[in-house]
Amino acid sequence: MWSAPMSSLPVRIDPLNALVQAASQGPPIPDGALVVVSAPLSPILVNAPPFGILGTSDAVPGAGVLRYMGVNLAIEDYMPFRGSSAPEEERQSVIERLLEHYDRTTFLHVAAELAASIGKPDLVSQLQDTFQDFLGEYFPQSLGRFNIAMSDRKRSFLGRHVLLRAMREILSQPEPQSPRRILPPAMTLVMLAHALAGQITTDKKASGSSTIGGIPEDLAMSMVCNFSFHTVDDIYASLDRQLRLWNDYGPKVKHLLRGREPRELLSAATGTDLEDFLAIGLGLFAHFLGWKPGAPVGLDNDLGSDMPASIRNKVFDHICEGLDELSARIDNRSKSHWDLLALQERPVLRVDGTLLVLDGVFLADRFTSGLFWIVHDHIKNMGGEIAANDWRIAWGNMVEKMAMDDFRLHAPPLVNGDQTFFDLTTTDPKIKKKGQQPKAADCAIDFGEAIGVFEVVSGRLKNPTRIDGDRCSFDDDMEKILLKKIRQLDATVRNLIDHPEDLFGAGVPARPIQPVIVAGEEFPLSPVITRYVEEYLDNNGYLRNQLVRPLAIIDLSELEVLEGLRERGYFILNILSEWRESDIGEMPLRNYLLKMYPWDPELYRPASMRPRVDSTFKILVERLRIRRRS
């Protein structure tokens, strides 16, 4: 179904291609693209899978990670090229002819409707049926091939990534002087996306036999880009996280920002406050989620709101872009197929007096986690790289403080009142040996039969890694985000094994230890990163004691889910251990959780989240001052 956003990976690598073919028992895929199936974006207060990489509701047959692999439908699956000796040239010619059918404004209105349909099974089914009727009328010789292709459950009819690629192609081309208007606009756009799906291959080819975690380098880097693109958060949880960071933890880091709180810096960067920004963002997002065929896909510039135009426009300056301005950001230079930065930064188009949401995920990210980047870029423009680095340090401090408070909730209370949570960031933790390098991990929790050791990191993949698939950038990111933290964990774990009395007192034996790294937002775990880390651990002997369980790498959203599960009686160390030992232990924790525990907001969201978000939501609705129901 359409709710499974697809992204492309080359399948020319024999080992992985053979696995996929064996799982699907289908014919070889000569020019197709191996893709990762993603769960739909969760609307606010709607019971739907919230996670963006790989929800089991969209799983395809197969064992282990293969259940999350699929293939984008490409135009040659149903309209084969005529034996051309230059198929890429023929495909490009098809793309150019399709682009000549309609002006950019018409295409983008249709694209906004298609984007609002992804994630809605009924609309996806209707669109696929309409496309079948379209082929029967215009290209009857292709209908049979289309039906055969779509009978494979691994085949995705239309995904978010190829639709965004189609938008980028439309925006990068000049207006056709005499639009052909032969085919229906929606069907033309779907065919354009299919043509682009067949075009997607690895942007950078590795030389020789270079590998990452045993995976050929070019395939591995494509997977890194793939997983990064498909990381989607539960919007409800994301709102809660931003409220906590900006309101509760921001005031605690003003000493790192020359006495200014993060909220002050946000106001300086945007000209408005946090609540106004969230209100406008949610107003646009609610329209996107609620759109139905037959309703206008565009919103009035005033959102039907009596909020002062001066405030709306200040927020729009950071979310919206005019057609010519957005086109100017996108040129015809050769670029990565994952380079959608212009749309990510301005996911709402201002055209003909209306607002078109071009992508809901990018919009949700922009007014939640994207606030970090708005302040970052403002500070960098005003004070240079040193000031921007201060902001990154302060933000990391906020993330660490919040995660530490979340860890404390998992510490079991003892009848005798003994301590079970240990903050190892204090100036003189007992477990930290004098002169030890690297420094100690952030905290440890005594769970009785086992010990959890936790390290928090707020780093993010750089654009050359997540967009260009650059190996050197990837290695640099892994060192800064993970490998350095692994060395800290290893030093603490060794001390706990050799001298447990230093932390827990005399007579306490060494026990099993679960090491955990919690990454901040925008860090996509994937089989590539998991294997890369395991290879590093093997080569250096880190965390390789019989008492040490497999390293668990999770993100902030997964830590929040673990808190929700804890409140319902689940045990964090058991979950982490069972996940890492499962057949999808290389995949993100969220995949394992959705496999084991069907999505339920009461299970996945901590109890503290609801009153905080609901009370803020009332404030945001008041700020919007909606005149009529949108």
Side-chain angles (χ1 to χ4, degrees), residues 54-132:
L54 323 171
T56 55
S57 61
D58 300 312
V60 293
V65 299
L66 286 180
R67 65 166 57 94
Y68 304 111
M69 299 296 176
V71 178
N72 271 323
L73 180 69
I75 197 169
E76 43 281 49
D77 289 329
Y78 55 89
M79 298 183 71
F81 296 151
R82 299 184 299 273
S84 172
S85 59
E88 287 301 322
E89 293 181 7
E90 186 166 351
R91 184 183 293 108
Q92 185 58 41
S93 176
V94 170
I95 291 171
E96 291 171 0
R97 291 200 301 272
L98 290 171
L99 286 168
E100 292 173 355
H101 271 69
Y102 292 94
D103 59 276
R104 292 184 301 178
T105 299
T106 298
F107 262 142
L108 291 168
H109 269 85
V110 173
E113 292 183 350
L114 296 181
S117 300
I118 291 179
K120 300 173 182 176
D122 290 344
L123 299 188
V124 171
S125 179
Q126 291 173 26
L127 181 67
Q128 187 169 325
D129 290 345
T130 301
F131 193 76
Q132 284 180 301

Side-chain angles (χ1 to χ4, degrees), residues 197-271:
Q199 187 187 63
I200 296 172
T201 56
T202 305
D203 293 299
K204 293 192 175 185
K205 302 291 189 266
S207 59
S209 58
S210 179
T211 64
I212 300 178
I215 301 173
E217 183 179 309
D218 51 355
L219 172 60
M221 290 311 305
S222 287
M223 290 181 71
V224 170
C225 296
N226 189 323
F227 275 73
S228 180
F229 173 81
H230 282 118
T231 298
V232 181
D233 206 350
D234 173 9
I235 182 64
Y236 196 92
S238 182
L239 278 172
D240 180 68
R241 194 177 315 124
Q242 297 307 313
L243 292 170
R244 295 179 68 198
L245 285 167
W246 292 92
N247 293 335
D248 299 343
Y249 296 95
K252 299 178 181 181
V253 300
K254 63 181 182 180
H255 63 286
L256 300 173
L257 298 168
R258 301 180 183 180
R260 302 183 71 184
E261 293 187 12
R263 284 185 64 114
E264 296 178 60
L265 297 175
L266 179 64
S267 295
T270 64

Side-chain angles (χ1 to χ4, degrees), residues 41-46 116 120 235 239 277-292 295-299 303 319 348 355 357 359-361 363-364 367 617 620-621 624 626 628-630:
L41 176 67
S42 168
I44 299 173
L45 296 176
V46 173
K120 300 173 182 176
I235 182 64
L239 278 172
F277 209 103
L278 293 177
I280 295 293
L282 278 172
L284 291 164
F285 190 67
H287 176 78
F288 175 83
L289 289 177
W291 178 82
K292 296 179 180 179
V297 71
L299 263 172
L303 304 180
I319 293 179
V348 181
L355 302 171
V357 178
D359 187 74
V361 175
L363 172 60
F367 70 81
F617 192 79
L620 302 184
V621 171
L624 275 175
I626 297 295
R628 59 185 182 274
R629 190 172 184 83
S630 174

Side-chain angles (χ1 to χ4, degrees), residues 190 219 297 309 412 422 468 527 566 614:
V190 169
L219 172 60
V297 71
F422 301 88
D468 299 329
R566 182 200 67 82
D614 288 357

Side-chain angles (χ1 to χ4, degrees), residues 351-465:
V351 58
D352 293 342
T354 62
L355 302 171
L356 292 178
V357 178
L358 299 180
D359 187 74
V361 175
F362 284 163
L363 172 60
D365 288 346
R366 189 61 173 168
F367 70 81
T368 55
S369 60
L371 296 177
F372 164 87
W373 289 111
I374 291 174
V375 174
H376 176 276
D377 294 346
H378 171 76
I379 290 177
K380 187 173 182 179
N381 290 335
M382 299 297 293
E385 182 57 37
I386 293 177
N389 188 58
D390 290 342
W391 168 245
R392 292 191 292 268
I393 292 173
W395 186 265
N397 195 285
M398 292 160 60
V399 169
E400 181 175 312
K401 290 179 182 297
M402 183 175 70
M404 291 283 279
D405 284 346
D406 289 347
F407 291 142
R408 284 185 173 88
L409 298 174
H410 288 276
L414 297 182
V415 175
N416 63 5
D418 281 356
Q419 180 180 3
T420 59
F421 178 85
F422 301 88
D423 183 349
L424 305 181
T425 65
T426 54
T427 56
D428 186 28
K430 294 179 180 179
I431 200 65
K432 177 69 161 58
K433 302 301 180 182
K434 185 176 181 179
Q436 173 185 300
Q437 290 296 331
K439 65 181 183 178
D442 287 325
C443 68
I445 300 176
D446 184 352
F447 290 99
E449 70 269 25
I451 300 165
V453 180
F454 302 88
E455 180 65 35
V456 184
V457 59
S458 61
R460 304 154 188 256
L461 296 183
K462 298 190 296 291
N463 287 342
T465 300

